[in-house]
């Protein structure tokens, strides 16, 4: 939330929302920013949190998780985030921020980057996408990864990359990076922050 400079007017999207952890965090952060404005708080809960989940068990958990926190109305879709009809529903809401943790599998760095590319496509111009991915998305030299990286940088700006501590997902042992993109701004000639 802090990296994205999230505020009470943002519309937050997570296309692989799992149990809706990112959406819950965003909601709590935005509610705090709204202060004593009860109408704004109602709007945040009812229309500024969007998600998609493809696994039926996770979808049920996400909806329950949001409802238990009083989200007012769940805007979590059950289905494939790459399907155009789902993307169209999300795009009509004009999301300004995307938070995601793409599914991890061995050797799927290109697929993780495709999730980021898909989320960026759904954001408004200058929207911010923050994704926590396997470190291989940043360091792999495989042809498939390079192809997706080139497509991403043709359309979007890589604002920052943070290498996360190796013990972050202990005991699983997945090495991760956080990638921060600005939507619909070609990367050409821009600087990127790299940090640990």
């Amino acid at each position: 939330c802090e990296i994205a400079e999230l505020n009470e007017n943002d519309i937050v999207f997570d296309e692989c929302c799992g149990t809706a952890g990112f959406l819950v965090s965003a909601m709590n952060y935005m509610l705090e920013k709204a202060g004593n404005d009860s109408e704004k708080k109602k709007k945040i809960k009812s229309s500024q949190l969007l998600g998609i989940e493809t696994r039926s068990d996770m979808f049920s958990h996400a909806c329950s998780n949001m409802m238990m926190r009083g989200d007012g109305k769940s805007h979590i879709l059950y289905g494939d985030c790459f399907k155009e009809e789902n993307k169209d529903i999300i795009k009509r809401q004009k999301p300004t921020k995307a938070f995601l943790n793409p599914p991890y599998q061995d050797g799927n760095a290109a697929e993780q980057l495709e999730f980021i590319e898909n989320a960026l496509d759904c954001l408004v111009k200058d929207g911010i996408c923050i994704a926590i991915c396997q470190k291989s998305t940043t360091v792999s030299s495989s042809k498939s990864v390079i192809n997706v990286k080139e497509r991403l940088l043709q359309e979007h700006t890589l604002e920052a990359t943070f290498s996360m501590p190796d013990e972050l997902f202990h005991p699983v042992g997945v090495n991760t990076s956080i990638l921060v993109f600005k939507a619909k701004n070609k990367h050409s000639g821009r600087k990127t922050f790299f940090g640990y």
Side-chain angles (χ1 to χ4, degrees), residues 20-168:
F22 285 156
L23 294 176
V24 168
S25 293
M27 179 175 68
N28 291 336
Y29 193 88
M30 293 163 70
L31 291 173
E32 187 175 315
K33 290 279 186 188
N36 294 324
D37 187 341
S38 59
E39 284 304 309
K40 183 55 169 169
K41 287 182 174 184
K42 186 186 282 187
K43 186 173 182 195
I44 289 167
K45 290 179 176 184
S46 67
S47 61
Q48 292 178 228
L49 304 161
L50 313 170
I52 302 176
E53 179 51 51
T54 189
R55 284 181 46 186
S56 60
D57 57 339
M58 290 292 112
F59 173 73
S60 297
H61 287 299
C63 291
S64 298
N65 207 1
M66 294 299 287
M67 283 185 251
M68 285 190 299
R69 285 161 176 79
D71 76 332
K73 181 179 180 188
S74 177
H75 286 284
I76 299 174
L77 304 175
Y78 173 61
D80 184 343
C81 66
F82 292 97
K83 286 202 169 180
E84 285 305 318
E85 63 253 25
N86 290 333
K87 288 176 68 174
D88 288 342
I89 292 168
I90 297 299
K91 285 179 182 181
R92 283 196 295 271
Q93 305 302 313
K94 297 182 173 28
T96 57
K97 304 283 166 68
F99 298 159
L100 65 146
N101 184 359
Y104 297 174
Q105 296 168 2
D106 291 334
N108 79 334
E111 291 174 24
Q112 290 175 58
L113 290 170
E114 287 170 344
F115 273 94
I116 295 169
E117 184 177 35
N118 192 60
L120 284 161
D121 185 47
C122 292
L123 292 179
V124 298
K125 184 172 173 36
D126 297 325
I128 298 295
C129 175
I130 300 180
I132 186 162
C133 306
Q134 286 177 304
K135 194 174 280 187
S136 58
T137 60
T138 60
V139 298
S140 174
S141 59
S142 80
K143 181 82 170 145
S144 60
V145 171
I146 290 171
N147 287 341
V148 182
K149 286 180 184 178
E150 287 175 352
R151 283 198 320 259
L152 277 165
L153 297 179
Q154 282 296 313
E155 300 292 327
H156 314 286
T157 301
L158 178 60
E159 294 281 331
T161 298
F162 302 95
S163 294
M164 302 307 289
D166 293 344
E167 61 275 4
L168 183 65

